[in-house]
mmCIF file of all heavy atoms in Angstrom:
data_model
loop_
_atom_site.group_PDB
_atom_site.id
_atom_site.type_symbol
_atom_site.label_atom_id
_atom_site.label_comp_id
_atom_site.label_asym_id
_atom_site.label_seq_id
_atom_site.Cartn_x
_atom_site.Cartn_y
_atom_site.Cartn_z
ATOM 1 N N ARG A 1020 -57.387 -12.279 -64.670
ATOM 2 C CA ARG A 1020 -57.954 -13.640 -64.702
ATOM 3 C C ARG A 1020 -58.200 -14.185 -63.296
ATOM 4 O O ARG A 1020 -59.094 -15.006 -63.087
ATOM 5 C CB ARG A 1020 -57.026 -14.583 -65.472
ATOM 6 C CG ARG A 1020 -55.605 -14.651 -64.940
ATOM 7 C CD ARG A 1020 -54.745 -15.631 -65.730
ATOM 8 N NE ARG A 1020 -53.322 -15.315 -65.600
ATOM 9 C CZ ARG A 1020 -52.355 -16.189 -65.769
ATOM 10 N NH1 ARG A 1020 -52.662 -17.448 -66.063
ATOM 11 N NH2 ARG A 1020 -51.103 -15.836 -65.668
ATOM 12 N N TYR A 1021 -57.421 -13.701 -62.318
ATOM 13 C CA TYR A 1021 -57.595 -14.217 -60.966
ATOM 14 C C TYR A 1021 -58.844 -13.659 -60.302
ATOM 15 O O TYR A 1021 -59.404 -14.286 -59.403
ATOM 16 C CB TYR A 1021 -56.345 -13.925 -60.128
ATOM 17 C CG TYR A 1021 -55.126 -14.646 -60.660
ATOM 18 C CD1 TYR A 1021 -54.155 -13.961 -61.393
ATOM 19 C CD2 TYR A 1021 -54.958 -16.002 -60.462
ATOM 20 C CE1 TYR A 1021 -53.040 -14.608 -61.898
ATOM 21 C CE2 TYR A 1021 -53.856 -16.675 -60.969
ATOM 22 C CZ TYR A 1021 -52.902 -15.972 -61.693
ATOM 23 O OH TYR A 1021 -51.806 -16.630 -62.207
ATOM 24 N N LEU A 1022 -59.283 -12.482 -60.711
ATOM 25 C CA LEU A 1022 -60.566 -11.973 -60.257
ATOM 26 C C LEU A 1022 -61.702 -12.778 -60.879
ATOM 27 O O LEU A 1022 -62.612 -13.241 -60.201
ATOM 28 C CB LEU A 1022 -60.725 -10.497 -60.628
ATOM 29 C CG LEU A 1022 -60.031 -9.458 -59.765
ATOM 30 C CD1 LEU A 1022 -60.296 -8.059 -60.328
ATOM 31 C CD2 LEU A 1022 -60.505 -9.537 -58.328
ATOM 32 N N ALA A 1023 -61.637 -12.919 -62.197
ATOM 33 C CA ALA A 1023 -62.700 -13.625 -62.909
ATOM 34 C C ALA A 1023 -62.788 -15.086 -62.471
ATOM 35 O O ALA A 1023 -63.887 -15.641 -62.340
ATOM 36 C CB ALA A 1023 -62.458 -13.534 -64.411
ATOM 37 N N ALA A 1024 -61.648 -15.714 -62.243
ATOM 38 C CA ALA A 1024 -61.644 -17.131 -61.868
ATOM 39 C C ALA A 1024 -62.368 -17.357 -60.543
ATOM 40 O O ALA A 1024 -63.089 -18.353 -60.384
ATOM 41 C CB ALA A 1024 -60.206 -17.642 -61.780
ATOM 42 N N GLN A 1025 -62.192 -16.443 -59.599
ATOM 43 C CA GLN A 1025 -62.885 -16.595 -58.319
ATOM 44 C C GLN A 1025 -64.396 -16.631 -58.524
ATOM 45 O O GLN A 1025 -65.090 -17.482 -57.957
ATOM 46 C CB GLN A 1025 -62.532 -15.422 -57.398
ATOM 47 C CG GLN A 1025 -61.099 -15.387 -56.930
ATOM 48 C CD GLN A 1025 -60.846 -14.169 -56.060
ATOM 49 O OE1 GLN A 1025 -61.435 -14.014 -54.986
ATOM 50 N NE2 GLN A 1025 -59.982 -13.279 -56.524
ATOM 51 N N ALA A 1026 -64.886 -15.698 -59.322
ATOM 52 C CA ALA A 1026 -66.328 -15.621 -59.547
ATOM 53 C C ALA A 1026 -66.833 -16.835 -60.314
ATOM 54 O O ALA A 1026 -67.904 -17.378 -60.004
ATOM 55 C CB ALA A 1026 -66.664 -14.336 -60.296
ATOM 56 N N ILE A 1027 -66.086 -17.276 -61.316
ATOM 57 C CA ILE A 1027 -66.504 -18.447 -62.082
ATOM 58 C C ILE A 1027 -66.563 -19.678 -61.188
ATOM 59 O O ILE A 1027 -67.507 -20.477 -61.250
ATOM 60 C CB ILE A 1027 -65.550 -18.673 -63.279
ATOM 61 C CG1 ILE A 1027 -65.782 -17.580 -64.331
ATOM 62 C CG2 ILE A 1027 -65.758 -20.056 -63.886
ATOM 63 C CD1 ILE A 1027 -64.807 -17.622 -65.485
ATOM 64 N N GLY A 1028 -65.564 -19.839 -60.333
ATOM 65 C CA GLY A 1028 -65.571 -20.974 -59.414
ATOM 66 C C GLY A 1028 -66.768 -20.956 -58.490
ATOM 67 O O GLY A 1028 -67.380 -21.991 -58.209
ATOM 68 N N ALA A 1029 -67.133 -19.757 -58.014
ATOM 69 C CA ALA A 1029 -68.267 -19.638 -57.094
ATOM 70 C C ALA A 1029 -69.604 -19.833 -57.801
ATOM 71 O O ALA A 1029 -70.515 -20.467 -57.270
ATOM 72 C CB ALA A 1029 -68.233 -18.275 -56.412
ATOM 73 N N LEU A 1030 -69.735 -19.280 -59.009
ATOM 74 C CA LEU A 1030 -71.007 -19.316 -59.718
ATOM 75 C C LEU A 1030 -71.309 -20.676 -60.343
ATOM 76 O O LEU A 1030 -72.470 -21.034 -60.532
ATOM 77 C CB LEU A 1030 -71.026 -18.249 -60.819
ATOM 78 C CG LEU A 1030 -70.975 -16.787 -60.349
ATOM 79 C CD1 LEU A 1030 -70.765 -15.863 -61.537
ATOM 80 C CD2 LEU A 1030 -72.241 -16.415 -59.596
ATOM 81 N N ALA A 1031 -70.262 -21.417 -60.683
ATOM 82 C CA ALA A 1031 -70.453 -22.705 -61.357
ATOM 83 C C ALA A 1031 -71.320 -23.631 -60.513
ATOM 84 O O ALA A 1031 -71.114 -23.766 -59.301
ATOM 85 C CB ALA A 1031 -69.100 -23.361 -61.629
ATOM 86 N N GLN A 1032 -72.297 -24.231 -61.160
ATOM 87 C CA GLN A 1032 -73.231 -25.146 -60.497
ATOM 88 C C GLN A 1032 -73.928 -24.481 -59.303
ATOM 89 O O GLN A 1032 -74.369 -25.161 -58.365
ATOM 90 C CB GLN A 1032 -72.508 -26.425 -60.049
ATOM 91 C CG GLN A 1032 -71.880 -27.195 -61.218
ATOM 92 C CD GLN A 1032 -71.142 -28.434 -60.766
ATOM 93 O OE1 GLN A 1032 -70.741 -28.563 -59.615
ATOM 94 N NE2 GLN A 1032 -70.964 -29.356 -61.694
ATOM 95 N N ASP A 1033 -73.995 -23.147 -59.343
ATOM 96 C CA ASP A 1033 -74.695 -22.364 -58.317
ATOM 97 C C ASP A 1033 -74.194 -22.636 -56.902
ATOM 98 O O ASP A 1033 -74.958 -22.575 -55.931
ATOM 99 C CB ASP A 1033 -76.202 -22.614 -58.393
ATOM 100 C CG ASP A 1033 -76.808 -22.082 -59.692
ATOM 101 O OD1 ASP A 1033 -76.271 -21.099 -60.237
ATOM 102 O OD2 ASP A 1033 -77.803 -22.655 -60.160
ATOM 103 N N LYS A 1034 -72.881 -22.880 -56.786
ATOM 104 C CA LYS A 1034 -72.309 -23.121 -55.459
ATOM 105 C C LYS A 1034 -72.445 -21.905 -54.552
ATOM 106 O O LYS A 1034 -72.591 -22.042 -53.329
ATOM 107 C CB LYS A 1034 -70.831 -23.503 -55.581
ATOM 108 C CG LYS A 1034 -70.586 -24.890 -56.146
ATOM 109 C CD LYS A 1034 -71.075 -25.976 -55.208
ATOM 110 C CE LYS A 1034 -70.240 -26.099 -53.954
ATOM 111 N NZ LYS A 1034 -70.649 -27.261 -53.114
ATOM 112 N N TRP A 1035 -72.424 -20.693 -55.129
ATOM 113 C CA TRP A 1035 -72.539 -19.481 -54.314
ATOM 114 C C TRP A 1035 -73.870 -19.425 -53.578
ATOM 115 O O TRP A 1035 -73.917 -18.977 -52.435
ATOM 116 C CB TRP A 1035 -72.328 -18.237 -55.184
ATOM 117 C CG TRP A 1035 -73.380 -18.006 -56.242
ATOM 118 C CD1 TRP A 1035 -73.791 -18.877 -57.204
ATOM 119 C CD2 TRP A 1035 -74.160 -16.817 -56.422
ATOM 120 N NE1 TRP A 1035 -74.775 -18.311 -57.988
ATOM 121 C CE2 TRP A 1035 -75.013 -17.038 -57.535
ATOM 122 C CE3 TRP A 1035 -74.216 -15.583 -55.778
ATOM 123 C CZ2 TRP A 1035 -75.918 -16.089 -57.996
ATOM 124 C CZ3 TRP A 1035 -75.106 -14.621 -56.237
ATOM 125 C CH2 TRP A 1035 -75.944 -14.878 -57.338
ATOM 126 N N LEU A 1036 -74.934 -19.904 -54.211
ATOM 127 C CA LEU A 1036 -76.241 -19.923 -53.554
ATOM 128 C C LEU A 1036 -76.280 -20.994 -52.467
ATOM 129 O O LEU A 1036 -76.867 -20.794 -51.395
ATOM 130 C CB LEU A 1036 -77.338 -20.167 -54.588
ATOM 131 C CG LEU A 1036 -77.462 -19.087 -55.677
ATOM 132 C CD1 LEU A 1036 -78.539 -19.473 -56.677
ATOM 133 C CD2 LEU A 1036 -77.753 -17.730 -55.053
ATOM 134 N N GLU A 1037 -75.664 -22.116 -52.742
ATOM 135 C CA GLU A 1037 -75.594 -23.187 -51.740
ATOM 136 C C GLU A 1037 -74.822 -22.714 -50.507
ATOM 137 O O GLU A 1037 -75.229 -22.975 -49.364
ATOM 138 C CB GLU A 1037 -74.915 -24.408 -52.360
ATOM 139 C CG GLU A 1037 -74.721 -25.572 -51.429
ATOM 140 C CD GLU A 1037 -73.959 -26.716 -52.084
ATOM 141 O OE1 GLU A 1037 -74.165 -26.960 -53.295
ATOM 142 O OE2 GLU A 1037 -73.147 -27.354 -51.390
ATOM 143 N N ARG A 1038 -73.705 -22.010 -50.743
ATOM 144 C CA ARG A 1038 -72.895 -21.510 -49.622
ATOM 145 C C ARG A 1038 -73.675 -20.502 -48.790
ATOM 146 O O ARG A 1038 -73.646 -20.535 -47.554
ATOM 147 C CB ARG A 1038 -71.620 -20.861 -50.154
ATOM 148 C CG ARG A 1038 -70.683 -21.780 -50.934
ATOM 149 C CD ARG A 1038 -70.110 -22.864 -50.074
ATOM 150 N NE ARG A 1038 -69.053 -23.616 -50.744
ATOM 151 C CZ ARG A 1038 -68.529 -24.741 -50.298
ATOM 152 N NH1 ARG A 1038 -68.989 -25.271 -49.160
ATOM 153 N NH2 ARG A 1038 -67.573 -25.363 -50.953
ATOM 154 N N ALA A 1039 -74.374 -19.600 -49.450
ATOM 155 C CA ALA A 1039 -75.125 -18.579 -48.731
ATOM 156 C C ALA A 1039 -76.284 -19.179 -47.946
ATOM 157 O O ALA A 1039 -76.554 -18.771 -46.798
ATOM 158 C CB ALA A 1039 -75.641 -17.536 -49.715
ATOM 159 N N ALA A 1040 -76.982 -20.137 -48.548
ATOM 160 C CA ALA A 1040 -78.085 -20.793 -47.847
ATOM 161 C C ALA A 1040 -77.581 -21.487 -46.584
ATOM 162 O O ALA A 1040 -78.250 -21.480 -45.539
ATOM 163 C CB ALA A 1040 -78.779 -21.788 -48.772
ATOM 164 N N HIS A 1041 -76.402 -22.085 -46.673
ATOM 165 C CA HIS A 1041 -75.822 -22.745 -45.497
ATOM 166 C C HIS A 1041 -75.511 -21.718 -44.408
ATOM 167 O O HIS A 1041 -75.818 -21.956 -43.223
ATOM 168 C CB HIS A 1041 -74.546 -23.488 -45.898
ATOM 169 C CG HIS A 1041 -73.824 -24.090 -44.733
ATOM 170 N ND1 HIS A 1041 -74.181 -25.290 -44.165
ATOM 171 C CD2 HIS A 1041 -72.769 -23.624 -43.997
ATOM 172 C CE1 HIS A 1041 -73.390 -25.560 -43.143
ATOM 173 N NE2 HIS A 1041 -72.524 -24.563 -43.020
ATOM 174 N N ALA A 1042 -74.911 -20.590 -44.778
ATOM 175 C CA ALA A 1042 -74.587 -19.559 -43.794
ATOM 176 C C ALA A 1042 -75.853 -19.062 -43.106
ATOM 177 O O ALA A 1042 -75.879 -18.866 -41.881
ATOM 178 C CB ALA A 1042 -73.851 -18.400 -44.473
ATOM 179 N N ASN A 1043 -76.915 -18.849 -43.876
ATOM 180 C CA ASN A 1043 -78.194 -18.417 -43.300
ATOM 181 C C ASN A 1043 -78.731 -19.450 -42.312
ATOM 182 O O ASN A 1043 -79.214 -19.113 -41.227
ATOM 183 C CB ASN A 1043 -79.228 -18.206 -44.401
ATOM 184 C CG ASN A 1043 -78.968 -16.965 -45.241
ATOM 185 O OD1 ASN A 1043 -77.949 -16.303 -45.083
ATOM 186 N ND2 ASN A 1043 -79.877 -16.670 -46.141
ATOM 187 N N ALA A 1044 -78.658 -20.721 -42.722
ATOM 188 C CA ALA A 1044 -79.177 -21.787 -41.872
ATOM 189 C C ALA A 1044 -78.411 -21.870 -40.557
ATOM 190 O O ALA A 1044 -78.989 -22.126 -39.491
ATOM 191 C CB ALA A 1044 -79.123 -23.122 -42.608
ATOM 192 N N MET A 1045 -77.104 -21.645 -40.613
ATOM 193 C CA MET A 1045 -76.302 -21.671 -39.386
ATOM 194 C C MET A 1045 -76.674 -20.512 -38.461
ATOM 195 O O MET A 1045 -76.682 -20.663 -37.236
ATOM 196 C CB MET A 1045 -74.813 -21.628 -39.723
ATOM 197 C CG MET A 1045 -74.295 -22.865 -40.464
ATOM 198 S SD MET A 1045 -74.545 -24.420 -39.551
ATOM 199 C CE MET A 1045 -76.076 -25.020 -40.306
ATOM 200 N N ALA A 1046 -76.989 -19.355 -39.044
ATOM 201 C CA ALA A 1046 -77.412 -18.221 -38.226
ATOM 202 C C ALA A 1046 -78.739 -18.524 -37.542
ATOM 203 O O ALA A 1046 -78.927 -18.214 -36.353
ATOM 204 C CB ALA A 1046 -77.521 -16.970 -39.086
ATOM 205 N N GLU A 1047 -79.663 -19.118 -38.269
ATOM 206 C CA GLU A 1047 -80.953 -19.474 -37.678
ATOM 207 C C GLU A 1047 -80.770 -20.499 -36.559
ATOM 208 O O GLU A 1047 -81.416 -20.411 -35.505
ATOM 209 C CB GLU A 1047 -81.879 -20.028 -38.759
ATOM 210 C CG GLU A 1047 -82.353 -18.997 -39.771
ATOM 211 C CD GLU A 1047 -83.289 -19.592 -40.812
ATOM 212 O OE1 GLU A 1047 -83.644 -20.782 -40.676
ATOM 213 O OE2 GLU A 1047 -83.651 -18.860 -41.737
ATOM 214 N N ARG A 1048 -79.903 -21.451 -36.789
ATOM 215 C CA ARG A 1048 -79.654 -22.499 -35.779
ATOM 216 C C ARG A 1048 -79.083 -21.883 -34.500
ATOM 217 O O ARG A 1048 -79.521 -22.202 -33.390
ATOM 218 C CB ARG A 1048 -78.667 -23.513 -36.373
ATOM 219 C CG ARG A 1048 -78.495 -24.807 -35.591
ATOM 220 C CD ARG A 1048 -77.407 -25.671 -36.226
ATOM 221 N NE ARG A 1048 -77.375 -27.029 -35.744
ATOM 222 C CZ ARG A 1048 -77.835 -28.093 -36.410
ATOM 223 N NH1 ARG A 1048 -78.370 -27.923 -37.610
ATOM 224 N NH2 ARG A 1048 -77.752 -29.296 -35.895
#
Side-chain angles (χ1 to χ4, degrees):
R1020 56 179 157 156
Y1021 296 103
L1022 281 179
Q1025 292 178 63
I1027 289 174
L1030 295 170
Q1032 300 179 339
D1033 294 331
K1034 288 293 290 186
W1035 65 306
L1036 298 177
E1037 178 184 323
R1038 298 295 189 191
H1041 175 81
N1043 288 6
M1045 294 301 97
E1047 290 181 5
R1048 191 185 193 104

